[in-house]
Amino acid sequence: MKRLFIHHPLFRLLSPLLSGTLVYLLILLYNNNMAQLQEAFLGQELHVCIGLAYLIQEYARISLLLFRRLKTPSSFTLRLLLQILVSVLLCIALVSGAMYVYFTRVLGYTPNSGELLIFNSIFSIITIIYVILFVSHQFLYKVNTKRIAKEVDAKLGVEADFTRFKKDINPKLLFETLEALLVLMKKDPDGAEQLCDHFSGVYRYILTPKREELVPLKEELEALNELIHLLNHLPFRHVELNSVEVQESVLVVPGSLLVALERIVRSTITSESQSLSLDLLENGSTIRLRYLPEENLREVFETKTLEDIAQNYRYYAPTPLKVVLEDPYKFIEIPKLSLDESSHN
């Protein structure tokens, strides 16, 4: 779409044959000499018209390429008028020169103004048509580019919404919980009911539409405790969370602590005899989630494991979310957010 069809070799080869023939027919019609068609249609005059068509169309094509690089004047209208004026003037000069050479060298006399006017008028129209084709193609390309860009943006938006929805649903945790619930229902109905309560608490927090882009840390911790109770019913290590009192003004991205905890649990070696103890600490401008790592061989917990969460925090905080190893502990450092930091003024 970006390349105009007049630059195609096949068009450059065949188009002048048709346009030259059309010019020859127009001249015969203008001179009221259509009877000559029966005598010598493939005569010398037709070859001259086709030759002129090749000359003018190649000139018009090259002039489009040259004017495309022209940056001045800045006004589109003035630049278009300048392009038409210069193209037509040079076309007249080329046609007049070619006709003068043909008439003087081949026919033996000088062309009159009427003959030059006919040829110059027809080929000037062809040149203007080339300019119009170029301009209309440029407009069409811009319009189509904008439409394609909108379609791409819409597609990316749908894909982002689907990815976000899939992340919120967390199908792996969902099916693991349902499987545990099916087993627990047979031997401990009361425990199954508690599991349902924790399950509904976690998913209510995750899936409930929120207008706030940030939530208080205490609200996040309530959902985090529900997730811990839920994970403790699954075949992972028993999770214990030790948290300190935090300021009420501290905000976090919704679901960030939940995702961090689940990925810590999944990257830790499963054991029924040992527990996974996590400490939630305050450290200046960050919240630190500390634990003793015993990671399985298939997954190493590092900063890129939380890249999706870290990307959200880049929008709100100058300090990045990162995973730090300070032997023997591993820390997840989450920036503290407040209303001032989260404003976009």
Side-chain angles (χ1 to χ4, degrees):
M1 178 58 203
K2 188 175 180 180
R3 184 174 176 84
L4 188 56
F5 65 89
I6 62 173
H7 301 299
H8 195 280
L10 193 61
F11 180 85
R12 292 167 58 189
L13 181 65
L14 299 179
S15 174
L17 294 174
L18 300 177
S19 60
T21 303
L22 181 61
V23 170
Y24 178 60
L25 293 175
L26 288 174
I27 293 174
L28 291 179
L29 182 63
Y30 178 81
N31 292 326
N32 198 20
N33 195 16
M34 295 301 293
Q36 188 175 348
L37 287 175
Q38 300 176 354
E39 301 173 3
F41 176 74
L42 298 177
Q44 192 176 37
E45 291 81 2
L46 176 61
H47 297 155
V48 171
C49 291
I50 293 175
L52 276 176
Y54 272 106
L55 175 65
I56 296 306
Q57 290 188 205
E58 282 300 304
Y59 149 73
R61 188 183 68 85
I62 294 173
S63 68
L64 293 180
L65 298 176
L66 296 176
F67 275 100
R68 188 176 184 177
R69 300 179 180 180
L70 186 66
K71 303 299 181 183
T72 55
S74 57
S75 172
F76 172 78
T77 304
L78 292 178
R79 190 164 63 251
L80 178 60
L81 292 176
L82 178 63
Q83 181 176 357
I84 293 175
L85 179 62
V86 173
S87 299
V88 170
L89 290 177
L90 289 177
C91 172
I92 292 174
L94 286 174
V95 172
S96 299
M99 294 305 298
Y100 182 81
V101 170
Y102 171 70
F103 272 81
T104 54
R105 298 291 179 87
V106 178
L107 300 182
Y109 65 92
T110 303
N112 57 44
S113 58
E115 292 169 330
L116 291 178
L117 179 62
I118 296 173
F119 279 95
N120 284 325
S121 299
I122 296 175
F123 284 107
S124 294
I125 292 174
I126 293 176
T127 303
I128 293 174
I129 290 174
Y130 263 68
V131 176
I132 293 174
L133 278 174
F134 172 75
V135 174
S136 60
H137 176 268
Q138 291 297 102
F139 277 116
L140 184 61
Y141 176 73
K142 289 180 179 179
V143 170
N144 288 342
T145 301
K146 290 180 179 179
R147 290 181 177 177
I148 292 173
K150 288 181 179 179
E151 291 179 2
V152 171
D153 291 340
K155 179 182 176 183
L156 293 176
V158 171
E159 291 177 351
D161 290 340
F162 177 75
T163 303
R164 192 181 304 112
F165 179 73
K166 183 179 178 181
K167 175 186 171 184
D168 291 342
I169 289 294
N170 196 346
K172 193 171 185 179
L173 178 63
L174 174 63
F175 284 107
E176 287 174 346
T177 304
L178 294 177
E179 290 167 357
L181 184 61
L182 290 174
V183 174
L184 196 59
M185 285 173 59
K186 298 178 181 179
K187 62 179 181 178
D188 187 4
D190 293 334
E193 185 176 351
Q194 292 179 1
L195 178 59
C196 286
D197 292 338
H198 299 312
F199 172 75
S200 61
V202 171
Y203 273 85
R204 189 182 302 114
Y205 177 77
I206 293 174
L207 298 178
T208 299
K210 294 183 177 67
R211 294 183 179 179
E212 300 83 4
E213 296 180 358
L214 303 175
V215 296
L217 179 58
K218 288 188 175 182
E219 184 179 338
E220 182 83 359
L221 288 178
E222 293 176 3
L224 187 64
N225 287 323
E226 294 288 343
L227 178 62
I228 290 173
H229 290 302
L230 178 60
L231 292 173
N232 287 339
H233 285 85
L234 302 180
F236 298 113
R237 287 196 182 192
H238 185 82
V239 181
E240 298 175 355
L241 177 66
N242 306 309
S243 60
V244 297
E245 289 294 328
V246 293
Q247 301 175 13
E248 294 185 1
S249 60
V250 175
L251 303 174
V252 294
V253 175
S256 55
L257 288 178
L258 278 67
V259 173
L261 172 63
E262 184 184 351
R263 292 180 185 174
I264 290 174
V265 171
R266 292 189 183 279
S267 64
T268 301
I269 298 174
T270 303
S271 174
E272 296 181 358
S273 60
Q274 292 182 327
S275 61
L276 175 63
S277 178
L278 297 103
D279 299 315
L280 187 67
L281 309 171
E282 283 192 276
N283 182 34
S285 61
T286 61
I287 302 167
R288 307 187 90 187
L289 195 61
R290 182 182 69 181
Y291 71 102
L292 281 170
E294 291 186 59
E295 296 169 345
N296 57 44
L297 301 178
R298 293 178 292 105
E299 276 187 83
V300 178
F301 191 81
E302 52 190 7
T303 303
K304 67 179 182 180
T305 309
L306 299 173
E307 178 59 30
D308 51 346
I309 306 174
Q311 185 175 0
N312 294 332
Y313 275 93
R314 290 191 194 105
Y315 182 72
Y316 297 105
T319 55
L321 182 147
K322 57 185 177 181
V323 178
V324 181
L325 179 62
E326 295 179 4
D327 197 43
Y329 292 103
K330 184 170 279 191
F331 296 87
I332 300 176
E333 293 192 346
I334 302 175
K336 286 182 181 179
L337 303 177
S338 65
L339 290 177
D340 291 336
E341 291 175 329
S342 61
S343 64
H344 309 307
N345 296 330

